[in-house]
């Protein structure tokens, strides 16, 4: 019971700490911490969305950065033509990501395993090269965004507004994921990973459940892309490249597959390590690779699933030796002869 209480308070405490980052940055006179924190929250939101298909359904999507890039270009292209209304940009972002996720998911979910991985990667690369070919919107050089998204009462015109928008959205989505995980749909979705044939035998459509989760995950990742575009004031094809998809997978894995806290902790750990290693050397990937391997080996199941201090049972005393079965009542003692000889000599 005590372990459950600690686990229940872990998520609120994490968001309380994250809420204090802007105030700590202002007190220290380091606005860079707000920008870094906003980037962490955005990628945590994308990792949380990926966890819906990777952690719950067991589908390894190697093309989720595609939706991140689509969210960025939804802001960039509309802003290019003078449409700075944030609600319009959000609606276009959701519609485009939902449509693309529906088409991609319909094709990809007819396969499994390595086939699913390769097809999601292929679709992501298709959209990557499509963005590179759009010379009017910067092509490979990317597209500058000169007008921030305006939502009426507030605008995402700096690191601080983006930080609070990402913090609030991540909080709402985390609460939603907690409820979804315990809901009938969430249980069926997790069951499709454990035993899809039994789920199908019970009368549920494995394909339909997975497709719904994939579309929802793509839309949420696209919204994270909308926030990223406002943070960087830039839309680039590099946002939808396969290394970004790999980074999202690493964040989910080192944080903990299938948990709600895991992707957030994984994003924080990964991006903080990245900044620390970048400050040491330009060859920071040589340090990041072994660090991820060590984390994966030591924290089995990820940070979110390996908090042993939250669920460690009290040490049990030495187990009593099992009593030998009586050999009476006409039953033959089937223990080895050497064991019987030792007992007789004792």
């Amino acid at each position: 019971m005590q372990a459950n209480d600690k686990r229940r308070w872990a998520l609120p405490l994490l968001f309380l700490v994250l809420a204090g980052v802007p105030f700590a940055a202002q007190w220290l006179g380091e606005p860079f911490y707000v920008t870094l924190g906003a980037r962490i929250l955005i990628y945590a939101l994308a990792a949380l969305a990926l966890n819906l298909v990777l952690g719950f359904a067991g589908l390894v999507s190697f093309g989720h950065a595609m939706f991140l890039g689509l969210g960025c270009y939804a802001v960039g292209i509309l802003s290019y033509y003078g449409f700075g209304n944030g609600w319009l940009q959000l609606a276009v972002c959701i519609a485009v990501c939902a449509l693309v996720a529906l088409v991609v998911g319909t094709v990809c979910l007819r396969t499994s395993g390595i086939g699913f991985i390769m097809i999601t990667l292929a679709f992501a690369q298709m959209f990557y090269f499509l963005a590179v070919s759009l010379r009017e919107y910067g092509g490979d050089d990317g597209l500058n965004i000169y007008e921030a998204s305006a939502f009426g009462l507030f605008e995402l015109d700096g690191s601080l507004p983006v930080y609070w928008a990402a913090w609030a959205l991540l909080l709402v989505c985390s609460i939603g994921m907690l409820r979804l995980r315990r809901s009938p749909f969430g249980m069926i979705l997790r069951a499709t990973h454990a035993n899809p044939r039994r789920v199908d035998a019970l009368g549920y459509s494995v394909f339909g459940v997975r497709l719904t989760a994939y579309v929802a995950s793509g839309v949420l990742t696209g919204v994270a892309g909308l926030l990223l575009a406002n943070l960087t004031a830039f839309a680039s094809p590099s946002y939808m490249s396969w290394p970004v998809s790999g980074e999202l997978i690493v964040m989910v894995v080192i944080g903990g597959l299938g948990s709600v806290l895991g992707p957030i902790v994984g994003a924080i750990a990964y991006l903080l390590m990245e900044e620390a290693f970048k400050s040491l050397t330009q060859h920071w990937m040589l340090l990041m690779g072994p660090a991820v391997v060590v984390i994966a080996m030591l924290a089995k199941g990820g940070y979110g699933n390996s908090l042993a201090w939250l669920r460690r049972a009290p040490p049990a005393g030495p187990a009593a030796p099992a009593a030998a079965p009586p050999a009476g009542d006409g039953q033959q003692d089937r223990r080895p002869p050497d064991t019987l000889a030792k007992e007789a000599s004792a």
Side-chain angles (χ1 to χ4, degrees), residues 5-344:
D5 291 339
K6 290 180 179 179
R7 291 176 69 87
R8 190 180 299 115
W9 283 103
L11 195 64
L13 282 175
L14 177 61
F15 275 94
L16 187 62
V17 172
L18 292 173
V21 169
F23 301 103
Q26 183 179 8
W27 180 67
L28 295 172
E30 293 288 348
F32 168 73
Y33 292 153
V34 178
T35 304
L36 175 61
R39 183 167 174 258
I40 289 174
L41 290 175
I42 291 170
Y43 276 91
L45 182 63
L48 188 69
L50 175 60
N51 188 50
L52 183 60
V53 294
L54 177 58
F56 289 6
L59 301 171
V60 183
S61 173
F62 220 108
H64 243 60
M66 167 179 63
F67 301 109
L68 197 70
L70 289 175
C72 290
Y73 274 96
V75 177
I77 294 177
L78 287 175
S79 179
Y80 179 79
Y81 289 106
F83 297 101
N85 188 298
W87 298 111
L88 175 62
Q89 294 174 352
L90 180 62
V92 171
C93 171
I94 292 175
V96 170
C97 290
L99 179 61
V100 171
L102 182 63
V103 174
V104 174
T106 302
V107 176
C108 297
L109 290 172
R110 299 189 184 279
T111 64
S112 60
I114 191 67
F116 181 85
I117 298 173
M118 297 307 297
I119 294 177
T120 54
L121 175 60
F123 271 108
Q125 290 300 100
M126 286 170 54
F127 277 92
Y128 169 79
F129 287 110
L130 174 63
V132 169
S133 66
L134 298 177
R135 300 297 178 186
E136 185 177 358
Y137 306 117
D140 194 23
D141 296 327
L143 177 64
N144 290 314
I145 301 174
Y146 298 104
E147 186 178 0
S149 301
F151 291 88
L153 297 178
F154 66 96
E155 295 184 5
L156 301 178
D157 57 350
S159 300
L160 189 60
V162 173
Y163 185 95
W164 286 117
W167 182 89
L169 186 58
L170 183 61
L171 176 61
V172 171
C173 291
S174 298
I175 296 173
M177 286 291 178
L178 282 173
R179 293 183 174 274
L180 176 66
R181 194 170 185 271
R182 302 187 183 100
S183 69
F185 177 82
M187 293 180 180
I188 296 170
L189 181 61
R190 287 187 287 158
T192 61
H193 175 38
N195 197 327
R197 289 186 178 181
R198 182 169 295 181
V199 172
D200 190 54
L202 290 173
Y204 297 101
S205 172
V206 174
F207 177 81
V209 171
R210 287 178 171 177
L211 182 61
T212 302
Y214 188 82
V215 172
S217 177
V219 169
L220 188 55
T221 308
V223 175
L226 182 146
L227 294 173
L228 182 62
N230 282 276
L231 177 66
T232 60
F234 193 65
S236 172
S238 62
Y239 290 152
M240 60 178 71
S241 62
W242 67 266
V244 178
S245 296
E247 290 177 356
L248 292 177
I249 292 176
V250 170
M251 291 175 191
V252 176
V253 170
I254 67 176
L257 289 169
S259 68
V260 177
L261 182 65
I264 304 174
V265 176
I268 295 172
Y270 184 88
L271 293 175
L272 287 182
M273 284 193 302
E274 178 182 312
E275 289 297 325
F277 293 150
K278 282 181 178 179
S279 66
L280 296 176
T281 174
Q282 61 178 346
H283 307 292
W284 58 275
M285 286 300 293
L286 292 175
L287 301 176
M288 178 64 81
V292 171
V293 172
V294 170
I295 292 172
M297 293 178 64
L298 296 181
K300 294 180 179 179
Y303 286 135
N305 291 332
S306 64
L307 299 178
W309 61 275
L310 291 180
R311 60 173 183 266
R312 183 180 297 143
D329 299 334
Q331 294 183 2
Q332 184 181 0
D333 195 336
R334 299 181 181 274
R335 287 178 292 169
D338 56 340
T339 304
L340 296 174
K342 289 180 181 178
E343 289 187 0

